């Protein structure tokens, strides 16, 4: 790796270097978030942990710039960092009571 001797740089050069470093870090963060988003599909059931609340489960409905939008079964929308999401276990829709009819 090339080392830069910052002691030799002027104030203007240091400011320019700082701006370039910040932009590069933002780009790397954006790429990480985008990669994490692509692990999930629109319409997929996901789960995440919200601070101070029980586990939140919902459906991914939209990709945003840095987050994804998830709508819960109760209709509440959350904007969540994709790094916090996990795929939800398939929901069991088998009725627990009632008559079961065998189909031949």
């Amino acid at each position: 790796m090339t080392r830069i001797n910052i002691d030799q740089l002027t104030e203007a050069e240091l400011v320019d270097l700082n701006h370039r470093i910040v932009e590069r870090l933002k780009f790397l963060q954006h790429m990480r978030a985008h990669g994490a988003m692509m692990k999930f599909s629109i319409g997929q059931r996901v789960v995440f942990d919200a601070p101070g609340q029980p586990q939140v489960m919902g459906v991914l409905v939209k990709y945003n710039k840095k987050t994804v939008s998830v709508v819960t079964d109760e209709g509440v929308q959350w904007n969540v960092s994709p790094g916090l999401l996990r795929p939800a276990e398939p929901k069991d829709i088998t009725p627990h009571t009632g008559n079961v009819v065998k189909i031949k």
Side-chain angles (χ1 to χ4, degrees), residues 19-99:
H19 288 295
R20 292 173 61 192
I21 289 169
V22 168
E23 286 304 312
R24 177 69 178 157
L25 290 170
K26 285 180 183 178
F27 172 76
L28 292 173
Q29 179 185 16
H30 176 74
M31 292 307 296
R32 255 191 319 278
H34 181 73
M37 274 186 216
M38 294 299 105
K39 293 178 183 176
F40 299 96
S41 303
I42 301 289
Q44 183 177 359
R45 290 192 62 77
V46 294
V47 63
F48 63 95
D49 296 315
Q53 296 196 18
Q55 197 174 61
V56 179
M57 184 179 295
V59 175
L60 192 149
V61 294
K62 181 181 174 187
Y63 297 123
N64 303 313
K65 205 173 203 179
K66 296 180 182 179
T67 63
V68 294
S69 295
V70 175
V71 175
T72 66
D73 297 337
E74 294 79 28
V76 178
Q77 180 174 325
W78 291 76
N79 289 335
V80 184
S81 171
L84 300 176
L85 295 179
R86 298 183 308 277
E89 296 296 321
K91 208 173 186 181
D92 184 9
I93 59 170
T94 305
H96 296 291
T97 60
N99 297 330

